[in-house]
Amino acid sequence: MALTATSTATITTLLVSLLFLPKFYSFELIIDYDYSSISKSDVDLLEFPLNLEFLEAEFFLHGSLGYGLDKFAPNLTKGGPSPIGARRAKLDPFTQDIIKQFAFQEVGHLRAIQKLVKGFPRPLLDLSAASFAKVVDRAFGQPLAPPFDPYASGLNFLLASYLIPYVGLTGYVGANSKLQAPASKRLVAGLLAVESGQDAIIRALLYERATVKVPPYGITVAEFTDRFSELRNKLGHAGFKDEGLVVPLVEGAERKIIGNILAGNRKSIAFERSPEEVLRIVYGGGNEHKPGGFYPKGAKGRIARSHLHSMPTA
């Protein structure tokens, strides 16, 4: 039977459609987000995590590659100042590979957030060994000798990494219920999934060495994580939302185990933190109005700046 012009055109259309089928059915194309519908509150909640994403991206990039966003993706910095003291860490090949993966993931996070909201220039970050040493000294209540250096070894870098993704993770959990637009919720859900994965990998690698003593301090990895978590609970001023790699039986999953490779409440649900709690922790002083710690001049975005502009009088 001869093909008519109409049937020929129909077949051609079908063949073209099949050729591009993967593209037609890709996730981004079949979901049409109306970004213009995102409320001001959503924008604020989506911009705030950029502070943590910049911190993670720079720390992981420098630690694994020896350079940061200024070389890898300068457009994402929006002209913000280069970080202080970040440098390449002495990592074994396996740890370097993992941290490099984290670094590229964080760059992707910056791209994703900046695609949805305007964002802001990279804040000034203090990623120097001295900055981390201050956090560690505060966690132990006394100066360690020699001062803790996150770049000195793979183990030290993993311990320093324990300080970072988890704070952002709890911030995403806290923000999720406050978001309104579907596009906002989907973005945060996706970011939270990867941040949770990073934290789980860091905790798993450290848990494997929980009883190993960190040289030259003679302090176990598990105790380091306990002290870090206790400090974050103290700085957050919002109760118990952080726990180390080994916990009392009563705080373990179903109260039946002391191993704590993933942090969670008594129903193993992730803890949440508000932006104010996050700022209290990353500023290092327990005060969302007083910059310091990893952010010498404070974090950026409307939420963070509103606290800097409303410092309580003495």
Side-chain angles (χ1 to χ4, degrees):
M1 182 177 64
L3 294 174
T4 65
T6 302
S7 61
T8 301
T10 302
I11 292 173
T12 301
T13 302
L14 287 172
L15 289 174
V16 172
S17 299
L18 288 171
L19 180 63
F20 292 100
L21 188 60
K23 183 176 292 187
F24 287 160
Y25 278 81
S26 67
F27 193 75
E28 291 188 3
L29 288 176
I30 63 174
I31 296 182
D32 183 19
Y33 292 134
D34 181 11
Y35 293 160
S36 64
S37 67
I38 296 176
S39 66
K40 184 67 171 67
S41 62
D42 273 20
V43 171
D44 291 341
L45 289 169
L46 292 174
E47 285 190 332
F48 180 78
L50 279 171
N51 292 291
L52 278 297
E53 299 291 357
F54 274 123
L55 175 65
E56 294 175 60
E58 294 290 5
F59 185 56
F60 293 145
L61 280 170
H62 280 279
S64 61
L65 299 174
Y67 56 82
L69 290 170
D70 287 327
K71 179 177 179 179
F72 188 82
N75 61 304
L76 295 178
T77 72
K78 296 183 181 292
S82 301
I84 300 169
R87 68 176 194 267
R88 187 167 188 163
K90 296 178 181 178
L91 305 177
D92 59 272
F94 180 71
T95 304
Q96 182 187 30
D97 180 61
I98 290 174
I99 299 303
K100 189 187 302 182
Q101 292 181 49
F102 287 177
F104 296 156
Q105 290 163 6
E106 296 306 329
V107 173
H109 290 181
L110 289 171
R111 294 188 195 281
I113 297 173
Q114 290 185 13
K115 183 178 180 181
L116 189 55
V117 296
K118 182 178 179 181
F120 45 73
R122 174 183 54 194
L124 180 63
L125 301 168
D126 187 351
L127 298 176
S128 64
S131 179
F132 281 92
K134 288 179 182 177
V135 176
V136 176
D137 289 348
R138 183 157 191 170
F140 282 92
Q142 62 181 1
L144 295 188
F148 181 84
D149 182 354
Y151 304 105
S153 68
L155 181 56
N156 279 22
F157 197 86
L158 286 173
L159 285 168
S161 299
Y162 178 94
L163 291 168
I164 300 176
Y166 182 74
V167 177
L169 180 165
T170 55
Y172 280 132
V173 176
N176 193 50
S177 62
K178 300 179 178 66
L179 294 169
Q180 301 172 23
S184 304
K185 293 178 180 180
R186 185 195 178 277
L187 175 60
V188 166
L191 293 166
L192 175 58
V194 175
E195 294 290 338
S196 300
Q198 290 179 355
D199 182 64
I201 290 169
I202 292 167
R203 292 179 71 98
L205 292 173
L206 291 174
Y207 184 73
E208 185 180 21
R209 289 173 269 187
T211 60
V212 172
K213 293 184 177 180
V214 180
Y217 308 112
I219 301 170
T220 66
V221 167
E223 185 173 351
F224 263 90
T225 64
D226 285 343
R227 295 298 186 108
F228 291 169
S229 289
E230 288 172 5
L231 176 63
R232 291 191 295 213
N233 282 327
K234 179 180 178 181
L235 294 176
H237 299 307
F240 187 86
K241 298 186 177 183
D242 217 302
E243 50 193 22
L245 297 174
V246 180
V247 295
L249 194 63
V250 69
E251 294 175 7
E254 290 298 298
R255 302 186 179 186
K256 293 185 180 298
I257 195 165
I258 63 173
N260 195 46
I261 202 167
L262 293 177
N265 63 19
R266 291 189 175 177
K267 294 183 179 178
S268 294
I269 303 298
F271 296 103
E272 63 180 70
R273 285 191 169 107
S274 67
E276 291 72 26
E277 293 169 61
V278 170
L279 291 173
R280 292 167 197 158
I281 293 169
V282 298
Y283 285 174
N287 186 341
E288 67 269 33
H289 304 289
K290 187 176 181 181
F294 297 121
Y295 299 85
K297 294 186 178 180
K300 292 189 175 182
R302 193 200 66 79
I303 293 176
R305 305 314 286 184
S306 70
H307 292 295
L308 294 182
H309 297 152
S310 61
M311 292 182 64
T313 57

